[in-house]
């Protein structure tokens, strides 16, 4: 699901930049033709609408699986302010502990929650600007078409910002990348007496 999401996100970001170029929101901001997907806006829209099914269905499967199995809560909660401050301090001193890849630190938890919510926000605001007539109630709730468009662009910026940090950190700790490709880190064999909740 992670790698499917990675592909879907790249398609949505690249094609979104192609759509944006057609009617820019910020005067000086255009995306280079080398990083956008689709030769012109109509092609970018086709990519966007194709990618949205992959993104939304994969995202729904991930969230349902995470909620039903309790994985999301187990991995991402609780978040304590004390842990957050400590992780930031450790990070600034380059003292982050990577020995247990199955447990996220407080900063990771916050970032993952933010990006999961940004993904949901993209689907909701995307629906509002895709079908502003059929979903007029939703579009109104978001402050109208232009406001929904702006929030949609903001969500993309949050996701791209997350991606830069996420990719940089995973390259700094390559064992995480390997674990994500092979289905998880190597764990010690379980003994009948072990009481851990993790498989
Ligand atoms: C189900 C999910 C999504 C739907 C239905 C959707 C729908 C749309 C639509 C209809 C537009 C065109 C707006 C216009 O006509 O001006 C658009 C633009 C755009 N989308 Fe999405 N989108 C979705 C997800 C995403 C995601 C995940 C990203 C990036 C992370 C993204 C990034 C963008 C960007 C950058 C634009 C151009 C902003 C603008 O100029 O309006 N979208 N999207």
């Amino acid at each position: 699901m992670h790698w499917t999401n990675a592909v879907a996100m790249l398609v949505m970001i690249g094609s979104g930049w192609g759509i944006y170029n057609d009617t820019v929101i910020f005067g000086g901001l255009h995306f280079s033709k080398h990083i956008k997907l689709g030769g012109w806006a109509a092609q970018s829209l086709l990519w966007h609408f194709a990618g949205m099914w992959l993104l939304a269905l994969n995202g729904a499967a991930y969230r349902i699986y995470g909620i039903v199995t309790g994985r999301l809560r187990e991995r991402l909660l609780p978040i304590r302010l004390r842990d957050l401050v400590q992780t930031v301090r450790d990070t600034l001193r380059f003292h982050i502990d990577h020995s247990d890849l199955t447990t996220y630190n407080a900063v990771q938890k916050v970032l993952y929650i933010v990006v999961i919510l940004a993904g949901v926000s993209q689907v909701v605001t995307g629906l509002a600007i895709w079908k502003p007539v059929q979903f007029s109630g939703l579009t109104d709730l978001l402050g109208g078409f232009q406001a929904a468009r702006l929030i949609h662009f903001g969500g993309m910026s949050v996701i791209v910002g997350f991606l830069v940090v996420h990719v940089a950190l995973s390259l700094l700790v390559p064992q995480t990348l390997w674990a994500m490709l092979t289905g998880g880190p190597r764990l010690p064999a379980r003994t009948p007496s072990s009481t851990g909740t993790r498989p």
Side-chain angles (χ1 to χ4, degrees), residues 6-169:
V7 171
M9 276 296 180
L10 289 180
V11 168
M12 298 312 279
I13 293 167
S15 57
W17 288 349
I19 303 167
Y20 169 90
N21 273 1
D22 197 47
T23 319
V24 298
I25 302 177
F26 308 103
L29 179 64
H30 288 85
F31 294 98
S32 155
K33 67 174 191 298
H34 302 295
I35 52 170
K36 71 184 177 71
L37 196 56
W40 59 301
Q43 285 175 349
S44 300
L45 269 175
L46 290 179
W47 273 107
H48 214 64
F49 293 144
M52 84 180 177
W53 294 107
L54 190 61
L55 180 93
L57 293 176
N58 185 61
Y62 171 76
R63 282 159 186 80
I64 292 169
Y65 172 81
I67 291 167
V68 169
T69 60
R71 184 183 193 277
L72 276 180
R73 197 182 33 160
E74 182 206 338
R75 293 278 169 120
L76 302 179
L77 295 175
I79 302 172
R80 296 185 195 88
L81 188 62
R82 187 166 26 100
D83 296 341
L84 205 60
V85 174
Q86 190 57 47
T87 313
V88 172
R89 275 200 190 132
D90 292 347
T91 310
L92 293 176
R93 288 194 216 117
F94 295 100
H95 276 165
I96 301 197
D97 181 15
H98 309 299
S99 52
D100 180 6
L101 294 181
T102 62
T103 311
Y104 299 142
N105 65 44
V107 172
Q108 273 178 306
K109 289 179 184 177
V110 170
L111 288 181
Y112 290 152
I113 289 175
V114 167
V115 82
I116 288 172
L117 292 179
V120 175
S121 163
Q122 286 308 84
V123 174
V124 174
T125 51
L127 280 180
I129 53 181
W130 179 32
K131 301 276 181 200
V133 176
Q134 292 85 340
F135 294 112
S136 57
L138 178 64
T139 314
D140 284 347
L141 204 67
L142 293 167
F145 182 86
Q146 283 305 335
R149 198 184 157 199
L150 206 60
I151 304 172
H152 198 66
F153 192 88
M156 178 278 297
S157 311
V158 169
I159 292 172
V160 171
F162 167 86
L163 259 178
V164 171
V165 176
H166 186 63
V167 172
L169 287 180

